[in-house]
Amino acid sequence: GFYDTRVGLVTYADTAKSHFYLNSNFDLTSLVNAINLVTYDGFNTNTANGIIEAHYMQFTSARGDRPDVPNYAILVTPGGANIEKYKVSEEVQKIEANHVKMLAIGASYNVDMVELMDIASEPKMEGETYWRVANFGSLMSISDEIAGKACAGEHGATTAKPVDIGN
């Protein structure tokens, strides 16, 4: 509902794209339908651009961000940035300065662990602010745990999920 957890979705590969915003879907059925409409194109991993898109296009009051509710960005990547890698840390610092907590998921055991831990907010502990799974098909194995972190609180949370659409 309107007062519950809100979800926006950003995909990123060569570029980043918002598919829907924090104020787009207020019930589970419409959220699932919106997710099922997302297509994945591209083969690169422009993580910094995904963070920028979430920061400036998702976490705004016009798009459903609520000032009294904690904000979380859940970033899923299969490895590490291969476009503008040098900008990832800077963009993480900027989004965290706006009170967005970063949860990072490596969807590959070959993930760049230095980058994954750099993306994750404090305490930068596996199972707290970052996770690793074998592949995108394994994400469901940690979905309840991550939902518990991001959706806790009296009025839920506002959560934009940058999802890598690369390999």
Side-chain angles (χ1 to χ4, degrees):
F2 184 79
Y3 295 104
D4 295 324
T5 298
R6 295 182 179 187
V7 178
L9 182 73
V10 173
T11 55
Y12 64 97
D14 297 312
T15 61
K17 177 183 178 182
S18 287
H19 292 272
F20 55 86
Y21 299 94
L22 301 171
N23 59 359
S24 298
N25 302 287
F26 293 114
D27 63 85
L28 185 58
T29 301
S30 66
L31 176 60
V32 170
N33 289 339
I35 291 170
N36 287 333
L37 292 174
V38 174
T39 58
Y40 301 106
D41 353 289
F43 296 99
N44 288 307
T45 305
N46 191 342
T47 305
N49 212 12
I51 296 168
I52 291 167
E53 180 76 11
H55 185 186
Y56 297 106
M57 301 307 292
Q58 292 284 333
F59 292 110
T60 68
S61 58
R63 300 267 168 75
D65 187 23
R66 299 169 289 177
D68 58 332
V69 179
N71 289 329
Y72 290 85
I74 302 169
L75 188 138
V76 182
T77 182
N82 60 13
I83 296 177
E84 298 183 317
K85 186 177 185 77
Y86 66 93
K87 288 176 62 176
V88 173
S89 182
E90 176 185 339
E91 295 307 327
V92 167
Q93 290 174 11
K94 287 178 185 177
I95 196 170
E96 286 182 328
N98 274 351
H99 309 288
V100 176
K101 186 163 185 155
M102 296 293 294
L103 304 179
I105 304 167
S108 163
Y109 288 127
N110 295 322
V111 70
D112 179 338
M113 287 303 297
V114 172
E115 184 173 293
L116 192 68
M117 289 171 46
D118 189 39
I119 293 166
S121 291
E122 293 294 336
K124 298 188 184 291
M125 292 176 48
E126 191 161 11
E128 285 292 318
T129 56
Y130 75 89
W131 294 260
R132 289 181 293 170
V133 294
N135 51 47
F136 282 95
S138 303
L139 288 172
M140 290 305 293
S141 68
I142 59 171
S143 63
D144 287 342
E145 184 178 353
I146 292 169
K149 301 277 184 213
C151 302
E154 182 181 347
H155 296 293
T158 49
T159 305
K161 296 183 177 184
V163 177
D164 179 42
I165 58 174
N167 320 11

